[in-house]
Amino acid sequence: MIIQSTISLLLLLIQVPATALLLSRLLKGPRRYPPLEPQQPTPEMLGTVSVIVPTLNEALRISPLLAGLSRQSYEVREIIVVDSRSQDGTPDLVKAAQQKDPRFRVITDDPLPSGWVGRPWALHNGFLFTSPESEWFLGMDADIQPHPGLVASLVKTAAAEGYDLVSLSPQFILKYPGECWLQPALLMTLLYRFDPAGIHTEQPERVMANGQCFLCRRSVLAAVNGYSSASSSFCDDVTLARNIAAAGFKVGFLDGAKVLKVRMYEGAMETWKEWGRSLDLKDASDRAQVWGDLWLLSAVQGLPILILLGFLPLLPLPPLLPLRLLWGLNIFLLIIRFALLLAIAPSYDRKNARGGWLFWLSPLADPLAVLRIFLSAFRTPREWRGRNY
């Protein structure tokens, strides 16, 4: 009995302050900016946006992006695809799109210099080639599937809300059982650590961003020397956004589930390997923040399922107050987890997924998701998108 009480008290000391911090963030949710809706441009927006797409062997998934960008209206001045010497015919697909839409052009970036990661290097090269007449720089990944009216909606929202930089969370396309179970648990590690999408975050070190759809004033990007300050970051989007926020500019992260979709990785193993190793955001955070986030995730996401499963042999519970408080707290955390799962359901396209029902069992993957963040936090990537570093 004494051992059970002592362990319960220790776990309460770990979990109670983490739960209070989590609630302080989640309670901001009702004030968040609503999800973006597709919009039509207005005449003054003519030619105000330069779109940059970094590519490296993206032939199997870039076609929906090219088609979606062609459906954007006259606010898009140019679409520059910066290719890093793809070997699969990616540039040929862009050149074919150019025959139908002259806004497309493809350039090859310079050889990757020491100290740079491939993605920020390609985006930096693209920025240098954008027209100085464009007011906005829009970075987009090759796996994005934009809806008509996306770019107009982004620009109008940024102008109306006074943002110098705004990025969007997408709707994720799921196909296979493993990813339907694992991917929502990995996404939840972000939802627990940061303010909800649509809430303006005042602290630069807590700013969140998504480089898959990343709109920035060209003048602001020029003021910070393009992507130079994020040159060695494997999460360059968050690193750059935090640097821009620290320079005094207004940065926003909004819900874009109604204006763009993304098919990121094929299956659970690729999701675990590729996405999991950038979710720790260690390149954009100091060591204390990384450790603080690991404590929070362990306390409110990783432990509840394990603790509740551990309680099963003890039922009915003995009359020990610490034990009953711990049981109640973790039931409460599990209720929060399922409520958040319901809230993020519109952020997933599971219409054609095999085993889509496993999405609702993703809380059982939470200990694995937290473990993935731990593993990533203490490892420096040596290979990314086919490149060795």
Side-chain angles (χ1 to χ4, degrees):
M1 291 290 188
I2 295 177
I3 294 177
Q4 291 175 343
S5 293
T6 302
I7 293 174
S8 297
L9 285 171
L10 288 175
L11 288 171
L12 285 168
L13 287 173
I14 293 171
Q15 288 188 291
V16 168
T19 302
L21 179 57
L22 174 64
L23 289 175
S24 72
R25 291 173 180 160
L26 295 181
L27 289 174
K28 299 176 183 178
R31 307 196 311 270
R32 73 191 192 110
Y33 193 86
L36 268 64
E37 301 273 358
Q39 297 189 50
Q40 292 300 313
T42 48
E44 72 275 7
M45 295 168 59
L46 176 65
T48 56
V49 181
S50 291
V51 180
I52 307 300
V53 181
T55 60
L56 176 59
N57 297 325
E58 303 285 2
L60 293 179
R61 57 181 181 174
I62 197 174
S63 293
L65 172 68
L66 300 179
L69 288 176
S70 286
R71 290 194 292 268
Q72 306 303 310
S73 192
Y74 54 75
E75 71 278 8
V76 175
R77 174 187 298 273
E78 58 189 352
I79 304 163
I80 304 173
V81 176
V82 185
D83 189 68
S84 300
R85 296 171 177 78
S86 295
Q87 302 299 311
D88 65 347
T90 297
D92 295 330
L93 293 176
V94 181
K95 291 173 182 175
Q98 186 179 23
Q99 300 301 313
K100 300 177 181 178
D101 188 338
R103 294 178 296 178
F104 283 101
R105 60 186 168 121
V106 60
I107 65 174
T108 302
D109 56 3
D110 294 331
L112 187 66
S114 176
W116 281 80
V117 174
R119 187 178 183 278
W121 175 243
L123 288 164
H124 185 74
N125 273 266
F127 166 67
L128 297 178
F129 277 90
T130 56
S131 169
E133 301 300 318
S134 292
E135 181 182 354
W136 297 96
F137 168 100
L138 175 56
M140 299 194 76
D141 280 0
D143 51 8
I144 284 291
Q145 300 178 18
H147 300 332
L150 160 66
V151 178
S153 179
L154 259 176
V155 173
K156 283 187 173 183
T157 302
E161 299 298 314
Y163 287 121
D164 299 294
L165 186 162
V166 60
S167 61
L168 301 181
S169 63
Q171 184 181 57
F172 298 94
I173 301 171
L174 299 179
K175 290 185 178 180
Y176 304 115
E179 66 189 81
C180 290
W181 181 67
L182 176 63
Q183 211 265 16
L186 290 171
L187 177 64
M188 200 62 65
T189 66
L190 294 174
L191 300 182
Y192 278 4
R193 282 179 283 168
F194 301 102
D195 289 337
I199 293 294
H200 177 58
T201 302
E202 299 288 346
Q203 301 168 289
E205 68 274 11
R206 301 307 304 181
V207 160
M208 187 56 191
N210 178 21
Q212 293 170 322
C213 185
F214 190 92
L215 181 78
C216 185
R217 293 187 190 275
R218 193 179 186 281
S219 59
V220 170
L221 204 50
V224 298
N225 195 20
Y227 276 74
S228 298
S229 65
S231 60
S232 61
S233 176
F234 285 92
C235 54
D236 57 271
D237 45 5
V238 179
T239 300
L240 183 60
R242 291 179 178 178
N243 290 339
I244 288 174
F249 298 104
K250 187 176 181 180
V251 175
F253 179 59
L254 306 179
D255 186 344
K258 295 183 178 180
V259 291
L260 74 159
K261 295 184 179 183
V262 62
R263 174 70 184 148
M264 288 178 64
Y265 302 115
E266 295 298 321
M269 291 305 295
E270 191 175 348
T271 301
W272 170 273
K273 177 184 176 184
E274 299 292 348
W275 198 32
R277 62 180 161 187
S278 63
L279 283 175
D280 56 61
L281 305 182
K282 60 179 176 291
D283 292 349
S285 313
D286 60 33
R287 182 54 60 178
Q289 184 175 336
V290 171
W291 276 106
D293 285 347
L294 290 174
W295 156 70
L296 178 72
L297 289 177
S298 299
V300 299
Q301 186 178 0
L303 285 175
I305 286 290
L306 298 178
I307 289 174
L308 291 174
L309 290 175
F311 266 108
L312 293 180
L314 300 177
L315 295 177
L317 292 179
L320 296 174
L321 181 60
L323 206 62
R324 291 177 178 268
L325 288 175
L326 186 64
W327 169 262
L329 176 62
N330 284 278
I331 289 289
F332 176 62
L333 287 170
L334 190 62
I335 291 171
I336 290 177
R337 177 64 172 83
F338 275 101
L340 286 173
L341 191 62
L342 188 65
I344 68 170
S347 295
Y348 284 92
D349 180 349
R350 297 175 287 120
K351 293 191 297 291
N352 298 313
R354 298 205 302 267
W357 57 272
L358 288 167
F359 170 85
W360 301 106
L361 297 183
S362 64
L364 296 175
D366 282 356
L368 278 178
V370 175
L371 173 63
R372 187 65 186 92
I373 305 301
F374 266 91
L375 294 175
S376 180
F378 300 105
R379 293 178 183 173
T380 300
R382 299 299 180 190
E383 184 269 334
W384 189 266
R385 288 292 195 188
R387 275 185 165 140
N388 294 317
Y389 296 95

